[in-house]
Amino acid sequence: MAKTDEFGEELADFVRRVAELKAARSVTGGDLPTVLDAAIFELDHVADQLWPWYERLSSAGPPRTTSADRQEQHLLRAVFQRFPLPVALVDREAVVRRLNFAATSFSGVRAGYATGRPLTGFLAHADRAAFRSQAAAVARGEGDRSLTVHLQQRPSVPVHATLTAVRPSGEPHTTVLVVLQPDDLRAPASPATAENPTTQVPDLTETTRHASLMDVLDEMTATLLTAPRGDRDTVVRQAAEVLHGRFADWVIADTGTTGLSRTTVLAPSDEEASALAAQSPTTCPLVMETARTGSPSLQVRPADPHAFGQDLQRGPVLVQADVTSLLCVPLTIDARVQGVLTLFRCGARLAFSMAEAQAMDIMSRHISLAATGTP
């Protein structure tokens, strides 16, 4: 029975990887060979592993691990944490179990945030399917693997990923140890390694972001005060122009009281804007969910590539635009949603912060008041 359950888990994992490969069809031509290799690899896995496993199902379960000496566990944990290269421990679905100090510094993501999230969420879209396929193969005991990937926030820097299977004590399944080696073999310095860690140095990046956010709030206020009150489409369009570029790479507005329609799309190029303007808001699960609940949504490294539907080329919008973070906020008056504003940040641009999401929530209420002419 246990072996049957394990086969069911493996089959379900294969189905999820196939869905990822389908979503990856929309990547650019230069990345298609990587996706094709991953697809062929999955087909080989079905022919060589899943089908024979299905026919026999009597294979012995994995050997029971013996308990390690407590002192040795402490030593291995210290080696893992202090290893100079970025190292992550993930499960068969590439979900992070642990990150060492170098990995948190290199990725810019705290270990507490990364734990329980797929490591593929920090990679460029074109690399995700291939990485998951290789991680699953290593977890199945098919040997070590290596591939070149790119971090979503720094897509221009190739990173060599080496994957090997380990079986820590207390873990029910084989896990995968991932070692990341950037081309220059240097991870960004952590603040904790400064010569005087007790000295408080002003965070110039955060200060700059705060000042930029105040500028956006000031310009939005001036725009709404001079916009024609009650002219919903004009008000929303002018507000979107304030946000476009300096605050978000894409700004999409869907408005209407009885049914949403797409009224504004501001994108990095006119061609991209025209393609998304033809999309119906009803095909965007994220927009419809925000309109239904009236609650804003902040997503960093969106896990579902289909959350904003597909463009006319039938590719997921979030993949095509290389979206790394998004904000989706309702335009609400008297508890009734009058529209939805969606903002994308793409590529290496810093993700939306909680402070920016809160500021956008405030601006959305002011836009709603100006759009309906409410005093």
Side-chain angles (χ1 to χ4, degrees):
M1 183 64 181
K3 199 65 178 179
T4 303
D5 293 340
E6 189 175 351
F7 174 78
E9 293 176 2
E10 179 61 38
L11 187 60
D13 189 45
F14 168 75
V15 171
R16 284 191 291 269
R17 294 198 302 274
V18 169
E20 261 194 355
L21 286 169
K22 289 180 179 179
R25 288 180 301 179
S26 61
V27 299
T28 58
D31 294 320
L32 282 177
T34 301
V35 178
L36 180 60
D37 288 344
I40 294 173
F41 182 83
E42 291 298 341
L43 291 175
D44 287 341
H45 172 56
V46 171
D48 298 338
Q49 301 293 329
L50 290 184
W51 182 251
W53 193 357
Y54 172 76
E55 288 183 325
R56 58 182 186 267
L57 276 184
S58 57
S59 301
R64 181 172 300 177
T65 57
T66 60
S67 58
D69 179 79
R70 185 180 301 274
Q71 184 176 1
E72 184 179 359
Q73 288 186 12
H74 288 319
L75 175 62
L76 291 176
R77 186 177 294 113
V79 170
F80 174 82
Q81 290 294 349
R82 297 296 178 182
F83 195 69
L85 289 176
V87 179
L89 192 67
V90 303
D91 64 15
R92 61 193 301 166
E93 296 180 1
V95 174
V96 175
R97 307 298 295 271
R98 294 180 183 87
L99 287 180
N100 73 344
F101 297 140
T104 58
S105 177
F106 175 67
S107 65
V109 178
R110 293 185 179 91
Y113 174 84
T115 302
R117 290 178 167 83
L119 185 63
T120 51
F122 308 113
L123 305 180
H125 285 284
D127 298 330
R128 294 180 181 182
F131 184 89
R132 287 203 71 243
S133 293
Q134 299 292 3
V138 172
R140 291 192 299 263
E142 297 181 9
D144 299 344
R145 295 287 192 275
S146 65
L147 71 162
T148 299
V149 296
H150 302 79
L151 294 183
Q152 193 175 37
Q153 296 287 34
R154 282 180 287 170
S156 62
V157 180
V159 178
H160 186 74
T162 303
L163 293 76
T164 187
V166 294
R167 191 68 178 268
S169 60
E171 294 285 350
H173 301 291
T174 299
T175 55
V176 180
L177 191 70
V178 182
V179 180
L180 302 174
Q181 301 177 65
D183 268 3
D184 59 5
L185 295 180
R186 291 193 304 260
S190 170
T193 63
E195 292 183 3
N196 187 359
T198 62
T199 302
Q200 296 296 321
V201 180
D203 190 333
L204 297 181
T205 300
E206 288 302 316
T207 302
T208 302
R209 293 184 74 179
H210 178 73
S212 177
L213 180 58
M214 292 302 100
D215 289 342
V216 172
L217 285 169
D218 178 68
E219 186 173 347
M220 180 65 74
T221 300
T223 297
L224 296 180
L225 287 174
T226 57
R229 299 188 67 82
D231 187 343
R232 183 184 62 197
D233 290 344
T234 300
V235 169
V236 172
R237 172 76 186 189
Q238 292 182 2
E241 290 173 349
V242 172
L243 299 170
H244 182 234
R246 63 192 305 178
F247 191 70
D249 297 309
W250 292 68
V251 182
I252 303 106
D254 301 302
T255 59
T257 54
T258 57
L260 294 178
S261 61
R262 184 141 300 167
T263 55
T264 300
V265 178
L266 302 178
S269 70
D270 294 339
E271 293 77 12
E272 292 172 304
S274 298
L276 203 58
Q279 182 193 46
S280 171
T282 58
T283 65
C284 302
L286 180 63
V287 172
M288 301 309 295
E289 178 69 11
T290 300
R292 183 183 66 83
T293 62
S295 300
S297 175
L298 166 62
Q299 295 187 23
V300 178
R301 303 178 182 88
D304 181 8
H306 299 282
F308 207 78
Q310 299 183 338
D311 64 14
L312 294 179
Q313 285 73 40
R314 309 305 300 166
V317 171
L318 299 184
V319 175
Q320 293 278 38
D322 191 22
V323 176
T324 52
S325 66
L326 62 86
L327 274 172
C328 195
V329 295
L331 303 177
T332 307
I333 290 293
D334 296 330
R336 292 192 308 164
V337 175
Q338 310 286 319
V340 175
L341 269 180
T342 307
L343 290 76
F344 295 160
R345 283 184 179 173
C346 309
R349 187 167 183 172
L350 289 175
F352 287 111
S353 65
M354 292 296 293
E356 290 171 325
Q358 183 181 19
M360 190 62 233
D361 186 45
I362 295 172
M363 286 188 283
S364 70
R365 294 201 300 271
H366 293 171
I367 294 170
S368 300
L369 292 171
T372 57
T374 304

